[in-house]
Amino acid sequence: MFFGRDDKKEAQKRGLTVPLLPLRDIIVFPHMVVPLFVGREKSIAALKDAMAHKGPDDKAVILLAAQKKAKTNDPSPDDIFHFGTMGHVIQLLPLPDGTVKVLVEGVRRAKVKKFHPNDAFFMVEVEEVEEQTEKSVELEALVRSVHSVFEAFVKLNKRIPPEMLMQVASIDDPARLADTIVAHLSLKLNDKQALLETESPAKRLEKLYELMQGEIEILQVEKKIRTRVKKQMEKTQKEYYLNEQMQAIQKELGERDEFKNEIQEIEEKLKNKRMSKEATLKVKKELKKLRMMSPMSAEATVVRNYIDWIISLPWYDETQDRLDVTEAETVLNEDHYGLKKPKERILEYLAVQQLVKKLKGPVLCFVGPPGVGKTSLARSIARATGRKFVRLSLGGVRDEAEIRGHRRTYIGAMPGKLIQSLKKAGSNNPVFLLDEIDKMSTDFRGDPSAALLEVLDPEQNHNFNDHYLDLDYDLSKVMFICTANTMHNIPGPLQDRMEVIRIAGYTEPEKLSIARRYLIPKEQEANGLSDIKVDFSNEALRTIIHRYTRESGVRSLEREIGGVYRKIARDVLKNGKRDIEVDRKMAMKFLGTPRYRYGVAEREDQVGIVTGLAWTELGGEILTTEATVMPGKGKLIITGKLGEVMQESAQAAMSYVRSRAERFGIDRKVFENYDIHVHLPEGAIPKDGPSAGVTICTALVSALTRVLIRRDVAMTGEITLRGRVLPIGGLKEKTLAAHRAGIKTVLIPKANKKDLKDIPLKIRKQLRIVPVEFVDDVLREALVLEKPEEFGRKPVSDGLKLPTTTETPSSPAPAPV
């Protein structure tokens, strides 16, 4: 083929000199037909020169080479790749705007050997690259592999028409196959230039194979992503379509869009609801988030519930306190008999509230045995003050989240019981009863009592933070009332935050009054006997109290009276309506065999048997203490399921008796040749505490001296080794137990004299209460002595006698230490 103006041989010697057309972002491969839009003056001049100097075959020849950077408008020889494609200009069409549309066809690869000086356009001397046409089995296999990969590539790439696959499948020439396929790949300019500069067809196919494999992996990932996105869009479109249909149906039926309506309702509530600034901002933020959510999503439900909780709380809603102290006192006396101290404290609070406009709610803790009216007293306080009443039972609570709530990240999260109860109350100043606060426990979920430290502290609870709300809530106006049976189960820091008011058990007269005023009318109405006259005698009620109940409160008494009324109801249906008088005999007939043995004083004076007094959660009890002496080796035996403290009290009492043996007229050899056994009956019941010290000491002295103990004397007190009587607790309950048992004289520690004011005056008048400071004073009151004033100063004449010894000579003794 002849391309220049000289003959063919001469042209091959000195190379071909042709115009160069620099290309932007495109590389033309051999056998590739490409339309180009040319606008630069040099490029148009190069095309015109090529058209003016056509070869003998009437084809304009030009070198098509790419620029290294597409943005370069006036490239220099260094800005152009020196490896390009020789091409034919098939068609040249000038356009009205001065640009030229040209159709070129790549012929073969060529290298630029030299740039000739030319200002109008690039004129270069090129050397054509001859294609290597070696054939081998490996090359044939490579051609087949490229065909297979290209087929897979076309299936994934929708931009390549399927007809191209048929065209490529008919190409067997490795060089042409590579050049044809690379023209349809979306490769970077540098990758295409590298393929253009690869002279070996086999290497071009290998590189092309690698590039197509990489493209196939990318296309497969894109296909997965498109499929997933398409499915998600289809699902979303389907939901949208169904929601639109549902809204259209609701509109036809006259119903409104519930979700939009709900948001409007929330906005209306927010306008009319007075809340803290923090809460208002939080609701507005959550409401903005809710508007952008799908009404069917789970997150929308969580946000909606959260907003409902915040808006429904009584942030500033409160009831007006009834500050009439006289009326409040009347209400409290109507509902409860006795309970002087709690009533006084409530009336004091109302009086101060009337004088001071803003007063922090007190935190009261009623401590007392079951059934004395702690819970019902809290309800009466709410009625007397005109406040709402809410009750939260803490018995068995062991999860801190019950108090502080769960965080919103948990499924099914809710506020704590405190916030829930306040929402139920509808006011921020109710009477809030925390019932059974001593029954809380601790496990891996936290310590609820620690969570209550902030709640029950008037200095801190104005900004209580619930985990669910994550907002500060003011609890300072709430009147917290706690109830407990004992204090030892309540942590010390929690006790420190409460004002403890102890409620003792009821006396027998109080129980009789409560039964007359409250229990009998209540049970008569509950059992449908309101129109029948039923008269309970005092003896019948006392029998029920003594023989069928053993409690400090009146819960069991109410139950037993209800049992009597049920029997009466059956009798009325059977025999007709008539007036009924319930006496002691009829009460025992209705209730059956007595359940309890009524604790009474001993019938006669005995040696070594002392009546002691004990405190239990059910109130006071008499506790008989026995001591006996028997031949042995000087051991002290203590039985009756006693705790460590009570056993130590027995040891201390024994040491005191041995230290004063001579003054009591006791031979010291008794402690070597005799065993002493101290027993507290009802051995199945655990007993502990130091207050049985004087009781055990008196029993030991009586058993060793053989002196009788008065049957109508009961005692309580802790003992020291020097014989001093120390104070004890539960004096009121113990005194009431002594009164119930028919005791005439009660010996108490002198330090407990200040507690006598808690004992009802009527009981004090019926008992002889003797404060004692030393054990000698106890013995003089308890033992049956001819000359009590001389006891302890000279030996007792009729003491325990040993078979092998003579009676201990008497000697004067000094006064008690």
Side-chain angles (χ1 to χ4, degrees):
M1 183 184 292
F2 184 78
F3 291 98
R5 288 182 286 269
D6 302 320
D7 57 30
K8 185 176 181 181
K9 291 181 180 180
E10 191 66 25
Q12 287 177 344
K13 283 181 181 178
R14 67 174 186 269
L16 297 176
T17 301
V18 294
L20 183 144
L21 180 63
L23 305 177
R24 298 176 191 254
D25 282 334
I26 187 171
I27 292 177
V28 178
F29 286 86
H31 315 292
M32 183 176 174
V33 179
V34 182
L36 301 172
F37 290 90
V38 181
R40 289 182 287 190
E41 291 181 3
K42 281 188 176 184
S43 299
I44 294 171
L47 287 170
K48 288 180 179 179
D49 182 78
M51 294 297 290
H53 299 89
K54 293 182 180 180
D57 53 359
D58 198 31
K59 290 185 178 179
V61 180
I62 193 166
L63 180 66
L64 304 169
Q67 292 179 192
K68 293 179 181 179
K69 293 183 179 178
K71 293 182 179 180
T72 306
N73 287 323
D74 188 13
S76 64
D78 292 334
D79 295 329
I80 301 171
F81 288 110
H82 289 193
F83 205 108
T85 304
M86 294 292 292
H88 291 162
V89 179
I90 300 173
Q91 186 181 10
L92 185 67
L93 179 63
L95 297 176
D97 59 354
T99 60
V100 174
K101 180 180 180 183
V102 62
L103 189 65
V104 296
E105 178 187 6
V107 179
R108 63 175 56 86
R109 287 169 172 79
K111 295 179 183 177
V112 177
K113 293 178 66 178
K114 183 181 179 181
F115 279 84
H116 291 291
N118 190 354
D119 295 334
F121 55 89
F122 291 110
M123 182 64 76
V124 294
E125 184 179 334
V126 299
E127 178 186 354
E128 294 182 348
V129 178
E130 295 292 335
E131 298 288 353
Q132 301 173 7
T133 55
E134 70 270 10
K135 289 189 177 182
S136 63
V137 176
E138 183 179 352
L139 186 60
E140 183 66 26
L142 188 58
V143 170
R144 291 184 181 182
S145 298
V146 170
H147 275 298
S148 176
V149 171
F150 184 71
E151 184 180 354
F153 177 74
V154 171
K155 289 180 180 178
L156 290 171
N157 193 343
K158 301 300 181 183
R159 290 192 293 268
I160 301 176
E163 296 81 9
M164 190 65 201
L165 186 61
M166 300 297 293
Q167 182 183 345
V168 172
S170 63
I171 300 174
D172 294 330
D173 181 27
R176 186 168 183 177
L177 178 64
D179 292 339
T180 304
I181 291 176
V182 75
H184 295 87
L185 296 181
S186 300
L187 300 177
K188 293 180 181 178
L189 185 70
N190 290 333
D191 291 336
K192 285 188 176 183
Q193 183 67 31
L195 284 169
L196 182 66
E197 294 177 3
T198 304
E199 297 179 9
S200 171
K203 290 184 179 179
R204 281 209 301 276
L205 287 174
E206 287 181 4
K207 197 166 186 181
L208 191 61
Y209 182 83
E210 292 177 6
L211 290 171
M212 280 197 295
Q213 286 284 19
E215 284 292 316
I216 286 173
E217 289 182 7
I218 294 172
L219 289 171
Q220 286 175 341
V221 173
E222 287 181 352
K223 185 178 180 182
K224 288 181 181 178
I225 294 172
R226 281 198 305 270
T227 305
R228 188 164 63 244
V229 171
K230 184 180 178 183
K231 287 183 179 178
Q232 184 64 34
M233 288 180 65
E234 287 176 353
K235 183 181 178 183
T236 306
Q237 288 173 351
K238 181 181 178 182
E239 289 179 355
Y240 175 77
Y241 178 71
L242 292 174
N243 283 328
E244 289 296 322
Q245 276 191 330
M246 190 182 298
Q247 290 175 10
I249 293 170
Q250 288 176 345
K251 190 174 181 181
E252 289 296 324
L253 293 173
E255 298 177 2
R256 294 177 294 177
D257 184 351
E258 291 297 329
F259 186 64
K260 292 181 180 178
N261 182 45
E262 196 168 352
I263 292 179
Q264 289 177 358
E265 286 181 1
I266 292 173
E267 290 174 344
E268 288 297 323
K269 288 180 181 178
L270 187 60
K271 289 179 183 177
N272 302 325
K273 182 71 175 182
R274 188 178 169 220
M275 300 189 295
S276 67
K277 186 177 179 181
E278 182 187 12
T280 305
L281 292 174
K282 190 77 171 177
V283 171
K284 288 181 178 178
K285 183 179 177 182
E286 294 294 324
L287 194 58
K288 184 179 179 182
K289 193 191 303 181
L290 183 63
R291 287 194 192 99
M292 295 184 289
M293 291 181 180
S294 168
M296 306 301 291
S297 66
E299 184 67 20
T301 305
V302 173
V303 174
R304 206 154 53 227
N305 289 340
Y306 178 69
I307 294 173
D308 285 342
W309 270 108
I310 295 178
I311 292 180
S312 61
L313 288 177
W315 293 90
Y316 295 102
D317 303 333
E318 58 183 67
T319 55
Q320 189 67 33
D321 283 346
R322 187 187 297 128
L323 301 177
D324 190 339
V325 178
T326 305
E327 185 181 348
E329 185 176 8
T330 303
V331 171
L332 292 173
N333 289 331
E334 282 178 2
D335 292 348
H336 289 82
Y337 182 84
L339 304 180
K340 184 179 178 182
K341 276 191 175 181
K343 291 177 181 178
E344 284 183 354
R345 180 63 184 86
I346 300 307
L347 297 176
E348 289 168 5
Y349 168 76
L350 292 177
V352 175
Q353 182 82 351
Q354 193 169 353
L355 297 173
V356 181
K357 296 301 178 185
K358 186 176 181 181
L359 182 66
K360 293 177 181 177
V363 180
L364 308 178
C365 183
F366 297 152
V367 180
V372 294
K374 301 184 294 295
T375 303
S376 59
L377 180 60
R379 190 174 280 105
S380 295
I381 291 170
R383 190 165 80 91
T385 56
R387 295 189 176 198
K388 298 288 184 67
F389 176 76
V390 285
R391 174 181 172 271
L392 174 58
S393 178
L394 297 176
V397 171
R398 59 184 66 215
D399 188 355
E400 181 189 352
E402 293 285 330
I403 307 297
R404 281 199 173 274
H406 302 83
R407 300 197 181 276
R408 276 201 293 159
T409 52
Y410 294 101
I411 296 173
M414 289 185 70
K417 296 289 187 184
L418 281 167
I419 297 297
Q420 291 182 39
S421 300
L422 286 172
K423 177 187 175 184
K424 181 180 177 182
S427 70
N428 69 342
N429 66 334
V431 173
F432 202 123
L433 175 63
L434 298 173
D435 213 359
E436 309 291 354
I437 198 171
D438 58 330
K439 305 298 189 301
M440 288 187 297
S441 55
T442 305
D443 68 359
F444 65 94
R445 289 169 290 187
D447 186 0
S449 62
L452 283 175
L453 293 177
E454 182 185 4
V455 175
L456 298 181
D457 190 346
E459 301 299 325
Q460 299 179 26
N461 62 9
H462 61 276
N463 55 359
F464 171 71
N465 193 287
D466 185 272
H467 286 160
Y468 179 80
L469 298 179
D470 198 22
L471 298 168
D472 290 340
Y473 192 88
D474 187 4
L475 296 176
S476 61
K477 295 182 180 179
V478 179
M479 180 188 287
F480 285 104
I481 297 178
C482 309
T483 68
N485 296 127
T486 58
M487 291 293 293
H488 62 267
N489 289 332
I490 305 175
L494 195 56
Q495 292 186 29
D496 186 58
R497 285 162 167 77
M498 301 184 294
E499 182 180 342
V500 178
I501 299 176
R502 297 189 179 274
I503 301 178
Y506 293 116
T507 63
E508 183 184 314
E510 286 174 339
K511 286 185 179 181
L512 285 171
S513 297
I514 291 170
R516 291 278 182 208
R517 291 189 186 185
Y518 307 103
L519 304 184
I520 289 177
K522 179 182 176 182
E523 290 300 322
Q524 188 165 349
E525 183 179 353
N527 288 281
L529 299 173
S530 301
D531 55 345
I532 296 177
K533 184 180 179 182
V534 180
D535 187 17
F536 269 86
S537 69
N538 285 340
E539 286 301 317
L541 290 174
R542 286 195 182 94
T543 300
I544 296 173
I545 293 170
H546 295 162
R547 306 300 300 276
Y548 295 92
T549 64
R550 178 176 287 179
E551 58 176 349
S552 293
V554 292
R555 193 170 284 143
S556 294
L557 178 60
E558 180 181 0
R559 199 157 39 239
E560 298 302 326
I561 291 174
V564 172
Y565 271 107
R566 287 194 296 274
K567 295 290 192 301
I568 294 173
R570 182 183 174 187
D571 184 64
V572 166
L573 291 176
K574 186 177 180 181
N575 301 319
K577 295 183 179 180
R578 56 189 177 85
D579 294 344
I580 297 175
E581 183 175 350
V582 181
D583 56 11
R584 177 177 177 274
K585 187 176 179 182
M586 183 178 290
M588 295 185 70
K589 175 185 175 183
F590 284 155
L591 298 177
T593 306
R595 296 185 185 87
Y596 303 107
R597 180 177 62 85
Y598 182 55
V600 294
E602 297 292 331
R603 294 183 179 179
E604 57 185 17
D605 300 340
Q606 299 183 56
V607 172
I609 299 180
V610 185
T611 302
L613 299 174
W615 178 91
T616 68
E617 291 186 5
L618 300 176
E621 293 287 343
I622 63 170
L623 189 66
T624 303
T625 304
E626 299 177 348
T628 186
V629 181
M630 52 196 166
K633 298 182 179 180
K635 289 195 301 182
L636 175 63
I637 304 168
I638 307 168
T639 57
K641 203 172 184 180
L642 310 183
E644 291 184 6
V645 177
M646 190 170 279
Q647 292 185 34
E648 290 172 358
S649 292
Q651 296 283 356
M654 187 65 190
S655 297
Y656 173 75
V657 173
R658 291 184 67 176
S659 67
R660 293 179 60 85
E662 293 181 0
R663 300 183 186 182
F664 294 149
I666 303 169
D667 192 332
R668 291 193 178 276
K669 292 184 179 181
V670 169
F671 303 110
E672 299 175 3
N673 302 322
Y674 285 82
D675 289 343
I676 302 173
H677 188 163
V678 177
H679 177 68
L680 281 78
E682 298 187 28
I685 301 174
K687 311 170 189 70
D688 203 3
S691 60
V694 294
T695 311
I696 296 172
C697 182
T698 304
L700 289 173
V701 172
S702 172
L704 292 169
T705 59
R706 313 305 296 173
V707 177
L708 299 173
I709 298 175
R710 297 184 186 277
R711 66 181 181 278
D712 59 351
V713 174
M715 62 190 70
T716 181
E718 183 179 356
I719 190 175
T720 68
L721 292 176
R722 293 180 174 271
R724 188 175 294 275
V725 181
L726 300 182
I728 45 82
L731 181 65
K732 179 182 177 182
E733 290 83 355
K734 293 177 180 180
T735 308
L736 295 179
H739 178 262
R740 284 198 303 267
I743 299 295
K744 301 299 182 183
T745 303
V746 178
L747 309 180
I748 65 170
K750 192 173 183 180
N752 284 110
K753 192 174 181 181
K754 63 183 185 330
D755 300 322
L756 291 176
K757 60 182 180 180
D758 295 334
I759 302 171
L761 181 61
K762 188 175 182 180
I763 302 297
R764 275 186 283 165
K765 287 182 178 180
Q766 294 178 8
L767 290 175
R768 177 173 170 259
I769 300 174
V770 182
V772 293
E773 191 173 2
F774 297 99
V775 173
D776 286 358
D777 302 329
V778 175
L779 298 175
R780 292 189 188 102
E781 290 287 342
L783 298 180
V784 180
L785 301 169
E786 293 182 3
K787 297 181 178 180
E789 67 279 356
E790 295 181 1
F791 183 77
R793 292 182 172 81
K794 60 181 182 178
V796 181
S797 58
D798 56 348
L800 180 69
K801 303 209 173 31
L802 297 175
T804 57
T805 60
T806 57
E807 188 174 348
T808 304
S810 61
S811 58
V817 178

